[in-house]
Amino acid sequence: MFTRFRRKRHNPILRNLLQETHLTVNDFIYPLFIRGGEGIKNEVNSMPGVFQMSIDEVIKECVVLKELGIYSIILFGIPDVKDSVGSDAMCEHGIIASSIRAIKEAHPDMFVVTDLCFCEYTDHGHCGVLDPVLETVDNDITLDNLAKQAVIHAKAGVDMIAPSGMMDGMIESIRMGLDKMGYSHIPIMSYSTKFASAYYGPFRDVAESSPSFGDRRSYQMNPANRREAILESLADEQEGADILMVKPALAYLDIVRDIKENSLLPLAVYNVSGEYSMLKMAAKAGVIDYDKVMMETMIGFKRAGADIIISYHAKEVAKLLNEE
Ligand code: PBG
Ligand code: ZN
């Protein structure tokens, strides 16, 4: 026997020398859910450890995040008032615009990303303006609104914009809207390949964004499609996306690898709410070693080709990495 793999596995130092993939705290973006009011920090039943917070609480939370070494956050807003178009999202005094200003003022060293969509802001819970005949989102009217929303975020001082609505042409429309207003330096991280997934269930509790009728299958992707998944991301690259994304992560690691091999752009994965809750609930039931399963999951994302991991686990991962 000439080949003995175990020769390289006896010594822990050699094991470290030979480790091919590494995880660092710099890989992570941490999601935050913001609502109006003061002193609000409500834990969500379906996502233990995840809170809806008012702006003052988010500002305190940023202190904790920076101590852990996490300097990137992605914001989701829960507005006081919802309407048919999602006006709060296009208003300078809306929940997200106000949050960006307050966070950047208190923490100019924080990298603030915003999720750009309308589902949290519309009374019907869909990701844009409805076409009354088709009873689904009107793609092209929504494009204009996405560009407006992007400019509102940019004016408030956002560092990067992450459109998640899966509208055709959204990257081009947002890029043109931003550039025209003098924001050509703001990068766009596109949710470029986003599947119509039941794994978003717990998120919709936190963000209060469940569609009031139907589902999102007329704009988000069919989980069964691999070639289309690659095309979706390549189209966004052509429209000017700076960073691509696959979402969800865990059940789609083949797609992560496919896109990595078909584009030279940086790639993010969104380790979504349902993936997080599954580990939390399994830990509660005492059936897994939570920390180990979490870290194994994270290294799997990196190994598959992710450069960036958006995850509700980010704080817990950072704690473990800092102890190493
Ligand atoms: C908004 C949006 C969603 C998520 C991120 N941005 C929900 C959806 O598409 O219904 C899901 C994130 C998660 O499940 O953690 N379009
Ligand atoms: Zn949406």
Side-chain angles (χ1 to χ4, degrees):
M1 238 199 283
F2 289 112
T3 307
R4 285 185 182 273
F5 288 103
R6 296 186 56 196
R7 266 200 288 272
K8 290 176 280 192
R9 290 180 194 151
H10 290 299
N11 186 302
I13 299 170
L14 183 56
R15 280 205 300 270
N16 285 343
L17 278 171
L18 298 177
Q19 181 162 329
E20 297 177 30
T21 312
H22 297 270
L23 208 57
T24 81
V25 69
N26 296 321
D27 300 330
F28 287 88
I29 302 179
Y30 186 64
L32 290 169
F33 299 91
I34 314 182
R35 66 178 321 147
E38 239 177 278
I40 297 173
K41 190 171 177 183
N42 300 334
E43 193 165 19
V44 184
N45 284 338
S46 54
M47 295 183 76
V50 173
F51 301 82
Q52 292 185 342
M53 288 182 227
S54 50
I55 295 179
D56 55 321
E57 291 294 325
V58 166
I59 284 171
K60 284 192 242 166
E61 180 71 4
C62 289
V63 177
V64 178
L65 290 170
K66 290 201 286 191
E67 277 167 8
L68 288 167
I70 299 169
Y71 282 80
S72 305
I73 51 177
I74 181 163
L75 309 183
F76 296 91
I78 305 148
D80 291 335
V81 185
K82 305 190 185 213
D83 60 20
S84 63
V85 292
S87 304
D88 188 89
M90 294 179 284
C91 169
E92 284 191 47
H93 309 288
I95 183 68
I96 284 295
S98 311
S99 303
I100 298 166
R101 276 192 298 270
I103 295 168
K104 288 301 288 188
E105 194 187 327
H107 300 285
D109 52 350
M110 209 74 196
F111 188 76
V112 177
V113 187
T114 47
D115 179 272
L116 198 83
C117 201
F118 284 103
C119 45
E120 295 122 72
Y121 306 92
T122 51
D123 48 17
H124 46 75
H126 280 283
C127 299
V129 179
L130 290 184
D131 176 324
V133 179
L134 293 174
E135 291 197 326
T136 180
V137 178
D138 182 315
N139 194 88
D140 297 8
I141 294 176
T142 300
L143 290 184
D144 295 337
N145 289 355
L146 284 169
K148 276 185 211 153
Q149 194 184 355
V151 170
I152 290 288
H153 293 189
K155 271 189 187 154
V158 81
D159 294 301
M160 182 159 79
I161 284 174
S164 67
M166 287 293 281
M167 294 301 123
D168 290 320
M170 68 178 183
I171 302 304
E172 184 183 22
S173 164
I174 293 166
R175 184 74 274 159
M176 280 167 47
L178 288 172
D179 290 4
K180 205 169 57 194
M181 297 303 283
Y183 299 108
S184 60
H185 59 288
I186 302 286
I188 299 175
M189 174 170 73
S190 179
Y191 287 66
S192 50
T193 298
K194 176 171 174 180
F195 293 92
S197 172
Y199 281 99
Y200 307 151
F203 171 96
R204 293 178 188 166
D205 293 344
V206 191
E208 302 180 5
S209 64
S210 292
S212 63
F213 67 91
D215 54 42
R216 303 207 203 290
R217 283 183 294 178
S218 74
Y219 39 104
Q220 299 178 348
M221 267 199 66
N222 181 343
N225 292 356
R226 180 179 176 193
R227 292 192 310 270
E228 187 186 1
I230 301 171
L231 286 172
E232 272 280 5
S233 274
L234 294 183
D236 284 9
E237 172 168 8
Q238 274 186 344
E239 288 178 34
D242 300 286
I243 301 174
L244 303 176
M245 192 193 301
V246 175
K247 177 183 171 203
L250 214 37
Y252 299 88
L253 293 185
D254 56 331
I255 305 297
V256 174
R257 174 53 52 188
D258 282 335
I259 292 172
K260 192 70 178 178
E261 285 172 355
N262 281 281
S263 170
L264 295 175
L265 286 183
L267 183 58
V269 290
Y270 200 130
N271 173 214
V272 300
S273 55
E275 301 171 20
Y276 172 84
S277 297
M278 286 197 303
L279 295 202
K280 279 288 175 198
M281 299 309 164
K284 267 197 180 163
V287 296
I288 58 165
D289 180 332
Y290 178 82
D291 286 354
K292 289 210 171 105
V293 171
M294 173 177 74
M295 294 308 262
E296 187 176 326
T297 305
M298 297 301 135
I299 206 73
F301 296 151
K302 287 290 296 277
R303 193 195 60 243
D307 301 293
I308 294 172
I309 301 170
I310 305 168
S311 179
Y312 307 100
H313 294 292
K315 285 168 70 181
E316 297 165 316
V317 171
K319 252 177 229 148
L320 292 176
L321 289 174
N322 294 339
E323 280 165 16
E324 268 177 15

